[in-house]
C-alpha cells in the first residue's frame, strides 16, 4: 500500500503508549480511532488529550487551529468492530501478553478492510508470532515507538520473513509522516535494536543497586551527568513501567532458560508490590500528579 492511501489509523490500546501514539497520528492529520476495552483507560486518555492540546497552545508550540483539528481527528472507541471498520493502518499497543495480542490480531484480521496493514508496537514480540494468526502475513510488521511517544523521534520498523517490502516501506513512510525518524531492521531479533542496548545499561544499573554499590538516585545522577543521558535508568524504568521491565525479562528467561535473564530481585519486588513507576504513583521514585 502506498502511504498516501493511508487516511484512517486505528490504534488498539489507550494505555501508556497507545494514547500518545493516537494523538501523534491525529496531530499529523490522520483520522485516528483509539480503541480500548477499558472505559477507565479511555477516560484517562481523553483527559490527557483535553489537557495536553491546550497546554501546547498555551506554550506556543501549537496553533489553536492545529489543536482543534487534532481533537477533531481523534475518536475514542470501546467497540473494536466499529473502530476497525474503515482502518487503513493499525497500530496495536495492548498489554505485552502474547495470547492477548494474538487474539487482537485474529479479530483485527476479521474486522479490518482487506488492504489494511497490521503493525504491532510490542517492545519485544516479533510480528511473525502474530502474522500466523492472520490471513494477511505480508501486511504484518513491527512498528515500535518509544516512551513518551509524542516526544521520542525513533520508531523501529521490523521486517519479518513474512512482511512484504511494500508493507515495510509503508510503515517507514508513515513514521516519517508522523514526524519520526524511523529505522528499518531487516530481520527479526528479540528486543530489536534499542531495547537490546537499553537492557545492557539497565541490567548493569540493577546489579550496582542490588549489590549495594550505590543508590538508585546516585546511579541515575551519574548516568545523566557523566554520560549525558536525558534521564537515568531508574527514572526511565519508572517512565516506561516496571511491570514492562518485569515482563521483558521474564519473556527473555522463558526463551533462554538462563537464570541470569530472570528479572532482578528489585524488579520482582516492585512488580509484586504493584510499584510500577509513574503509572501507579510509585516506583523507584514517588510521583504526585504524574510528575
Ligand atoms: N508526554 C508528552 N510530552 C512530554 C512528556 C510526556 N510524558 N514528558 C515530557 N514531555 C515533553 C514536554 O512537554 C517538553 O516538550 P517541549 O519541549 O516541546 O515543550 C519536552 O518533552 C521536554 O520535557 P521537560 O522539559 O518537561 O523534561 P525533560 O527535558 O526532562 O524531557 C523526556 C523529558 C522527554 C522524557 C526526557 O527526559 C527523555 O528524553 N528521557 C528519556 C526517554 C527515553 O529514553 N525513552 C525511551 C524509553 S525505552 C522505550 O520506550 C521502549 C519501550 O519498549 C520500553
Amino acid at each position: 500500500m502506498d502511504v498516501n492511501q493511508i487516511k484512517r489509523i486505528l490504534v488498539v490500546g489507550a494505555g501508556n503508549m497507545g494514547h500518545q501514539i493516537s494523538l501523534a497520528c491525529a496531530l499529523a492529520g490522520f483520522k485516528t480511532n483509539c480503541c480500548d476495552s477499558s472505559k477507565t483507560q479511555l477516560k484517562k486518555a481523553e483527559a490527557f488529550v483535553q489537557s495536553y492540546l491546550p497546554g501546547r497552545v498555551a506554550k506556543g508550540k501549537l496553533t489553536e487551529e492545529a489543536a482543534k483539528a487534532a481533537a477533531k481527528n481523534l475518536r475514542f472507541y470501546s467497540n473494536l468492530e466499529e473502530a476497525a471498520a474503515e482502518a487503513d493502518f493499525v497500530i496495536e499497543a495492548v498489554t505485552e501478553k502474547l495470547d492477548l495480542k494474538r487474539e487482537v490480531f485474529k479479530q483485527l484480521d476479521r474486522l479490518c478492510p482487506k488492504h489494511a496493514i497490521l503493525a504491532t508496537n510490542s517492545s519485544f514480540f516479533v510480528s511473525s508470532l502474530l502474522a500466523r494468526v492472520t490471513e494477511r502475513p505480508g501486511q504484518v510488521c513491527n512498528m515500535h515507538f518509544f516512551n513518551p511517544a509524542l516526544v521520542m523521534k525513533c520508531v523501529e520498523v521490523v521486517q519479518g520473513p513474512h512482511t512484504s517490502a511494500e508493507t515495510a516501506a509503508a510503515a517507514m513512510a508513515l513514521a516519517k509522516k508522523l514526524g519520526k525518524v524511523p529505522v528499518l531492521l531487516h530481520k527479526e531479533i528479540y528486543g530489536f535494536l534499542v531495547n537490546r542496548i537499553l537492557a545492557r545499561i539497565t541490567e548493569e544499573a540493577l546489579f550496582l543497586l542490588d549489590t549495594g554499590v550505590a543508590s538508585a538516585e546516585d546511579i541515575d545522577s551519574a548516568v545523566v551527568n557523566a554520560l549525558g543521558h536525558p534521564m537515568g535508568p531508574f527514572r526511565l524504568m519508572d517512565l516506561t513501567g516496571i511491570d514492562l521491565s518485569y515482563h521483558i525479562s521474564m519473556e527473555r528467561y522463558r526463551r533462554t532458560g538462563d537464570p541470569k535473564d530472570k528479572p532482578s530481585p528489585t524488579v520482582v519486588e516492585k512488580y509484586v508490590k504493584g510499584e510500577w513507576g509513574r503509572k501507579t504513583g510509585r516506583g523507584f521514585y514517588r510521583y504526585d500528579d504524574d510528575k
Side-chain angles (χ1 to χ4, degrees):
M1 183 202 300
D2 183 84
V3 72
N4 294 317
Q5 288 169 263
I6 303 172
K7 305 287 179 215
R8 190 173 291 277
I9 297 176
L10 164 64
V11 179
V12 189
N16 229 9
M17 297 300 290
H19 76 282
Q20 292 217 1
I21 296 172
S22 304
L23 188 48
C25 295
L27 281 163
F30 292 96
K31 298 279 176 216
T32 308
N33 295 351
C34 176
C35 182
D36 199 299
S37 55
S38 154
K39 296 236 163 91
T40 316
Q41 203 62 263
L42 285 175
K43 271 199 188 130
K44 265 196 192 168
E46 277 192 82
F48 173 81
V49 173
Q50 278 161 15
S51 82
Y52 179 84
L53 289 174
R56 299 305 281 166
V57 174
K59 227 175 168 181
K61 299 275 179 168
L62 199 64
T63 64
E64 224 160 280
E65 294 69 45
K68 271 192 194 146
K72 205 170 155 206
N73 282 340
L74 183 54
R75 286 203 184 163
F76 293 95
Y77 291 83
S78 56
N79 181 311
L80 188 60
E81 188 164 358
E82 281 172 32
E86 291 173 28
D88 301 309
F89 199 103
V90 181
I91 303 168
E92 167 276 312
V94 303
T95 310
E96 295 283 11
K97 292 189 176 144
L98 186 57
D99 288 350
L100 174 64
K101 284 186 189 284
R102 281 206 170 121
E103 185 50 41
V104 169
F105 265 69
K106 245 190 232 168
Q107 289 187 37
L108 288 170
D109 192 40
R110 186 169 56 81
L111 298 172
C112 291
K114 288 278 169 257
H115 68 272
I117 289 176
L118 310 181
T120 173
N121 175 57
S122 177
S123 296
F124 51 88
F125 289 124
V126 291
S127 75
S128 50
L129 296 170
L130 305 169
R132 62 184 69 149
V133 303
T134 75
E135 282 173 15
R136 61 181 92 191
Q139 290 155 242
V140 175
C141 68
N142 286 87
M143 194 172 179
H144 181 215
F145 292 76
F146 293 86
N147 194 330
L150 281 162
V151 182
M152 306 314 284
K153 290 278 186 205
C154 185
V155 171
E156 293 173 317
V157 173
V158 187
Q159 183 175 5
H162 53 280
T163 311
S164 74
E166 198 189 354
T167 295
M172 290 291 285
L174 174 62
K176 284 182 193 157
K177 278 199 160 189
L178 299 180
K180 303 297 184 191
V181 185
V183 292
L184 178 64
L185 278 71
H186 303 285
K187 34 169 114 161
E188 294 188 332
I189 181 164
Y190 178 82
F192 318 133
L193 296 183
V194 177
N195 278 344
R196 290 181 76 86
I197 295 170
L198 183 59
R200 298 286 86 78
I201 295 172
T202 309
E203 200 176 277
E204 195 56 38
L206 282 162
F207 168 78
L208 293 169
L209 178 71
D210 285 341
T211 50
V213 173
S215 68
E217 288 84 350
D218 277 355
I219 297 168
D220 275 353
S221 166
V223 169
V224 169
N225 294 306
L227 300 177
H229 291 202
M231 55 171 56
F234 295 105
R235 219 172 259 292
L236 186 55
M237 264 188 278
D238 275 1
L239 176 71
T240 54
I242 292 165
D243 54 326
L244 182 60
S245 305
Y246 174 85
H247 287 308
I248 288 177
S249 301
M250 281 307 288
E251 175 59 22
R252 203 169 56 197
Y253 173 58
R254 266 193 289 270
R255 277 184 332 103
T256 64
D258 184 344
K260 85 170 170 24
D261 285 335
K262 276 186 182 171
S264 96
T266 307
V267 167
V268 173
E269 187 191 321
K270 294 209 171 289
Y271 178 75
V272 170
K273 278 191 186 161
E275 293 178 1
W276 293 356
R278 287 195 197 193
K279 65 172 101 169
T280 58
R282 189 167 179 160
F284 290 100
Y285 297 86
R286 289 180 186 209
Y287 301 87
D288 305 311
D289 300 333
D290 204 26
K291 296 235 164 40

